[in-house]
Amino acid sequence: PPIMLGYATAVCRDAGHKVDLIDAPALEIEADETMKRLMKFKPDYAVLLTSTASVQSDGAFAKEIAKKTGAKTVAVGNHATAVPEDTLEHGFDIIARGEYEYTIRELASGKKLDAVAGISFKKNKKLIHNKHQPLIKNLDELPFPALEFLPNEKYYSAIYKNPFTFVLAGRGCPHQCIYCAGPQLMSGRGYRFRSPENIIKELKHLKKHYNFKSVLFNDDTLNVNKKHILELCDLMVKEKVNMPWAAYSRVDSVDEEIARAMKRAGCFLVKIGYESGCEELLKSMKKGARATTEQARKATKFFKDAGIQIHGTFVFGMPGETVETIQRTINFAKGLDLDFVQFSIAQPYPGTEFYNYLKEKGYLHFERWEDYLDDCGCIKPIFEYPDLSRGEMKHWIRQAYREYYLRPHYIFKAIKQRLTNWSLMKTSLRSAWSLLQYIKED
């Protein structure tokens, strides 16, 4: 779900503006049908969430929107924030940098562009960067995302209870990982909490008005602050929310007390960014002094003992990566024996420390932003090291999935687990087929 667009929509709606929100991929509608809806609505401003890989096609669509509706087009998101001039050149009229809810509200209010904080635009062919829009300090003042505009029954994941949606308990992240674009570009290197009471209010709102079977707390790390997560979990139990939920965690943000409290409150799955099984790579990506392989094993045990499933994520291609370190990471993942895993190639997004490192070293190899994805829409490596080629990274991603999921031990455990969970069985069959198609293409 495009949760940030949902927030901006709600902020403008509550300010008295006529709004619409279109999630074309979820609706499975093409550009022509999307344009018909826009032409019928006749917006003054059309806000598009763009990305590094899609900015060229998004910009072309923005030009069509401006031509056929007369709307000013506004680009938002990590890419637009990182390289606003480049994004404008692809066809947008305005860039709303960083957190954009209040910026879009200011635009909608009719303010002159010169007076709107947080935007970049061109005036008389001159590039103008207005002052930054301050981060929202009190997140409780925000309305809940405008989910009434979205096809909520469409949001599906193989590892959640479907349909599901996102909830943000806070924004930002205090950690210094070099590859993570959100904190570096949008939400800041700190964590701003919503009050537990405000979060509970939203969960009750979701239960009353929608048919969601679970929610994912889409914070970078929900349990980054022990006091906050324990208060939230205690209130969930006290208020009898009874909504299954999942969340992101780091290996160094959990202990036995936190894991058990999360389970009591309805947490059925955590997504943990293990990233690597090599201490030297964890250091090179700046995961933090406490994010060690030993701590990873402890965190895994805390959640397993509490009865919470684990989806572990691992990334190949951090500074210092070699074929040997990749194999060590695969072996490490197998040793953790997680319920689900995701192996991916690192994506050096513009504006991140990782991108700047690769650029300075001359390791980036791409001509256009679209080169970030292959013809099938999958992430592909656009960099390589002297000791690790792009071809090797692509090969080892597939090899990692083969080694992990095709183990007899994993297959037996997965079948046993799914025999007692028919919902998980159905989603797993669909995902297993996709995975088999992927790993055989090498």
Side-chain angles (χ1 to χ4, degrees):
I3 199 74
M4 298 308 294
L5 289 177
Y7 269 113
T9 303
V11 165
C12 290
R13 177 201 63 201
D14 287 5
H17 301 290
K18 185 180 178 184
V19 294
D20 193 11
L21 175 57
I22 306 172
D23 186 355
L27 289 167
E28 299 180 89
I29 59 176
E30 301 295 333
D32 288 348
E33 190 172 345
T34 305
M35 185 63 74
K36 287 179 183 177
R37 185 163 159 179
L38 285 163
M39 291 172 69
K40 183 178 180 180
F41 187 75
K42 298 178 182 179
D44 296 308
Y45 288 93
V47 181
L48 289 83
L49 174 61
T50 190
S51 68
T52 299
S54 69
V55 67
Q56 182 168 335
S57 59
D58 293 340
F61 190 57
K63 288 180 183 178
E64 286 295 305
I65 293 173
K67 179 181 177 181
K68 293 182 177 180
T69 71
K72 292 290 186 183
T73 59
V74 186
V76 298
N78 291 333
H79 185 85
T81 298
V83 283
E85 184 172 10
D86 173 89
T87 307
L88 286 170
E89 289 174 355
H90 279 89
F92 294 94
D93 296 313
I94 301 166
I95 307 301
R97 308 185 312 268
E99 278 185 349
Y100 51 84
E101 291 98 336
Y102 292 172
T103 302
I104 302 302
R105 186 176 64 185
E106 287 186 40
L107 285 170
S109 73
K111 275 189 177 183
K112 291 183 177 180
L113 295 187
D114 292 335
V116 177
I119 66 170
S120 298
F121 61 100
K122 285 191 175 181
K123 184 177 182 180
N124 299 323
K125 297 183 178 181
K126 180 183 178 182
L127 182 64
I128 308 294
H129 296 297
N130 287 2
K131 67 179 182 180
H132 292 295
Q133 182 75 253
L135 293 173
I136 301 168
K137 292 182 179 180
N138 179 18
L139 296 176
D140 284 4
E141 71 187 31
L142 287 168
F144 303 146
L147 302 186
E148 65 267 27
F149 294 96
L150 296 176
N152 295 296
E153 73 284 355
K154 297 278 191 178
Y155 298 113
Y156 162 95
S157 168
I159 61 175
Y160 307 137
K161 303 175 190 297
N162 299 294
F164 81 102
T165 194
F166 290 153
V167 171
L168 284 174
R171 295 185 183 181
C173 179
H175 298 285
Q176 305 298 313
C177 303
I178 67 173
Y179 53 87
C180 195
Q184 295 183 68
L185 296 168
M186 302 291 288
S187 55
R189 294 286 205 187
Y191 192 73
R192 290 164 287 145
F193 303 100
R194 289 171 62 190
S195 68
E197 292 78 12
N198 187 250
I199 299 166
I200 298 300
K201 186 177 178 181
E202 181 178 4
L203 292 173
K204 289 183 175 181
H205 170 78
L206 294 175
K207 286 195 70 174
K208 181 178 180 180
H209 296 284
Y210 300 97
N211 188 38
F212 296 118
K213 302 302 182 185
S214 68
V215 300
L216 169 65
F217 283 102
N218 206 34
D219 305 48
D220 289 302
T221 310
L222 177 68
N223 54 2
V224 71
N225 181 284
K226 184 172 182 176
K227 181 175 182 291
H228 184 261
I229 186 63
L230 292 180
E231 287 179 354
L232 176 59
C233 290
D234 287 346
L235 196 56
M236 281 185 184
V237 174
K238 181 180 178 181
E239 293 293 323
K240 299 179 181 179
V241 172
N242 296 324
M243 171 71 86
W245 55 275
Y248 291 91
S249 177
R250 284 171 53 98
V251 301
D252 56 357
S253 63
V254 63
D255 57 23
E256 184 177 5
E257 183 182 10
I258 291 173
R260 293 191 181 282
M262 291 171 68
K263 177 64 177 180
R264 284 196 304 273
C267 180
F268 65 93
L269 180 139
V270 289
K271 301 185 76 169
I272 301 179
Y274 295 97
E275 317 307 3
S276 177
C278 305
E279 302 291 349
E280 59 269 30
L281 288 182
L282 293 171
K283 291 177 181 177
S284 78
M285 66 181 82
K286 298 186 179 179
K287 284 292 288 186
R290 294 184 60 245
T292 62
T293 53
E294 178 58 30
Q295 182 59 33
R297 294 185 183 92
K298 290 180 180 178
T300 302
K301 188 175 188 304
F302 290 142
F303 284 123
K304 283 186 177 182
D305 288 350
I308 296 173
Q309 290 188 310
I310 302 173
H311 175 213
T313 61
F314 301 86
V315 62
F316 299 159
M318 286 288 106
E321 190 82 272
T322 64
V323 169
E324 189 270 334
T325 59
I326 288 175
Q327 185 63 73
R328 284 166 57 190
T329 293
I330 296 171
N331 292 338
F332 179 69
K334 290 190 291 187
L336 293 173
D337 197 27
L338 310 172
D339 299 285
F340 312 96
V341 292
Q342 176 183 316
F343 298 101
S344 59
I345 297 171
Q347 281 285 68
Y349 290 113
T352 63
E353 188 177 343
F354 182 44
Y355 180 92
N356 295 336
Y357 166 82
L358 294 172
K359 187 175 182 179
E360 290 169 6
K361 293 289 187 179
Y363 294 154
L364 288 173
H365 300 286
F366 72 99
E367 296 179 359
R368 306 174 303 164
W369 297 121
E370 303 94 280
D371 292 341
Y372 272 64
L373 298 180
D374 62 22
D375 293 338
C376 298
C378 296
I379 291 172
K380 69 176 185 180
I382 50 92
F383 66 96
E384 61 185 6
Y385 298 115
D387 296 324
L388 186 67
S389 70
R390 285 178 283 180
E392 287 173 318
M393 280 188 271
K394 289 176 68 176
H395 164 77
W396 280 99
I397 285 291
R398 288 183 168 87
Q399 182 63 23
Y401 280 116
R402 290 189 194 103
E403 290 193 27
Y404 194 89
Y405 280 120
L406 299 185
R407 293 175 296 149
H409 167 75
Y410 181 85
I411 293 171
F412 176 78
K413 183 180 78 168
I415 291 174
K416 182 179 178 182
Q417 186 181 58
R418 284 149 181 81
L419 286 175
T420 58
N421 188 335
W422 178 239
S423 177
L424 182 60
M425 172 70 83
K426 289 189 293 184
T427 57
S428 295
L429 288 172
R430 178 168 145 180
S431 299
W433 176 254
S434 298
L435 178 64
L436 288 171
Q437 297 306 302
Y438 175 71
I439 63 178
K440 75 179 184 179
E441 297 172 5
D442 201 349

